[in-house]
Amino acid sequence: MLRSSAHKAGAAAEGRATAGRDAAPASPGGTIAIGSAGAAALGAEASASAAAAAGAAAISASDDRDSAEALASFADGVDRVVEFLTWREYQDLQRRRRQRRLQDEDGAGDESAQCEPCVCDAQNTTDGSDGGSGGGTGGGRLRLRLLTTQRSFAQLQVMLEQIAEDYTRQLGPGRAPLITVVGVPSLAEMEREVKFDVRTRAGQFDGYIITPLWIGELADGLFELTDFIRDYGEVDPNYWTDILLFYREVISSYDGGLYLFPFDGDVISMFYRRDLLEKYEKDVPRTWDEYNELAKFFHGKVEPLYVTNSTHPEGVFVKNVTLSGSCIGRTPACGNPYWAQTVLATMTQVRGTYEGSLLDSADLSPLLGPAMEETLRLLGEQTLLGVPQEFEGCVGVHVDAMNAGECVLTYNWGNSFSDHVRPGSFVRGKLGVAPHPGSPLVLNRQTGELEECDPDRCPHSVLDERTGKYINLAPYGAYGGFSGAVSRHVSPENRDAAAQFFAFATSSKKAIKYVIPDADNPDADSVPTGMDPYARSMLVVEEWTSRGFDRKGVEEYKYAVESQLGSENVVMDIRFPRAADFMAALDDVTTTYCNDTKWDQLGEDPAEVRREGARWIAERWREIEADFDGDEGRAPGALLEIYQRNRGVYVPADSSLGSQSDSDPNSLSTGAIVGI
């Protein structure tokens, strides 16, 4: 996960005002910013964004003075191939250029009566040839403008500068584009500016480094990459096939097309104290009940803590610690919706990514009921086996408690594997990694009841020979990492240049050092980006062991990542407008239930509390869907269409293929995402 696990889950703090069950969110993006940072409305901010777009369009003209200033803005002249600007610096620069341009135009004294020519051109441009960022900067040097967020700005700044220098060396002096990377302060603002650029066809940026959660609203304004990827195979034959299945054919796609270059390979995995399980001869849990039972076994035990090093490979006693069975950060507006979906999806998604785990891809029916009730029960039990500070932190709770030697089990994004072996960790060489648990019970979508898993009902299940039960596995690619996307509303020259740069930047041979840090000295020769592996070549065991990681841990990590991201039943986030509101409802109920469990506030009938919580989420989701479909004159089913296009199963109502059958659970499979 780019930057850190906390970056993903902590994005919630950008606009999440903890809402009571009786209060609807004040705005589409104001409830929770987990993942997508909220679906920000353009509304009142449109004028500010228009000003920025106007400035960007003004620069795009290739007159000599602006070209000279564009080059001069690189402090080191043309020898420097990449520059970084904050959003404020970028806006100030555009404002100065726009003012100078207006002063040069005839009749500039009556600015209020004018339409700024470049803005009008940009807003009416469909292919970028008349507006947008353009490509001329003089001297034959192309200029690219990329937009990202300052949340990951420091890491991206170093990483992109190094990659740009490599790119320049490969292309030769004077041939590589000059790159300006602009950082927007927050994910919410980033989302707003990207969507504005796409909707207005302003083309003020050639590319964006974004979360794939926004693809449902952006795809129409992004450059479709299928032909480019095919042609790029002549440059790097293994580039696309090296990427793991889920990121190659699911995360990168929308409605059958390819739109994203993966920078990061998120998936939730389970981490555990291998040394303690071996000491007590305990099996690695395969189901959520087994996870809880193992956590209960260890919770409260006092164990000696040893640290090993090259001088004392047998270990040196440090202190005795009281163990917590399960370490999960449960502060509101953080990771709770993700933890809930991790558990819930193992009961609700059985046939493949296309069918959905929170909402049925046939009709957006909430997939809750007994499955959500069981999810709350399991999460509540974990809360009683957690660390004392679990409601005081986000995903840092997972990492810090484990590294302190105080935790036995946790589940988290994959980059925490690197966090757990950083200097000072007491679990280095003792950490086990496995796919997160599955469920022997799955939701029957026709009856709404939980039933035992079997090979017919759960084609992606595995047989647990210890119990004789089949376990449904639904690995969760939570958040989907970060990706590069190219604007459709810029010149063909700039589109191709941006795509070429993103392909180069995300190729494993260039990105691998940002995925695998030096375990002994994390800041020595790589950038602490928190990027997770998204390609097979990033999981070569020797690449990790050469940087100080223990072989056993790496082999387990490799299996966990490859087996989960290679599954045809990986869980994908909902990726449509108002997704943040759906996740906020899930967060509200999950956080409240876990908190009430912790402090014994559930009352005499916890089962009824769970039923009421599942009902409330379903009702809230239906309200959000109806509100979206009824807004701005949209037709009924607008949200469903985006959801289905995300999963590659959309069939127009007048299609000759006919309508989908509600009674046939496999009726959507013929339109599934390519490769799924």
Side-chain angles (χ1 to χ4, degrees), residues 418 498 513 518 527 542:
S418 301
K513 69 177 181 178
D518 187 328
V527 183
E542 286 69 24

Side-chain angles (χ1 to χ4, degrees), residues 4 215-216 321 423:
S4 68
I215 189 67
V321 295

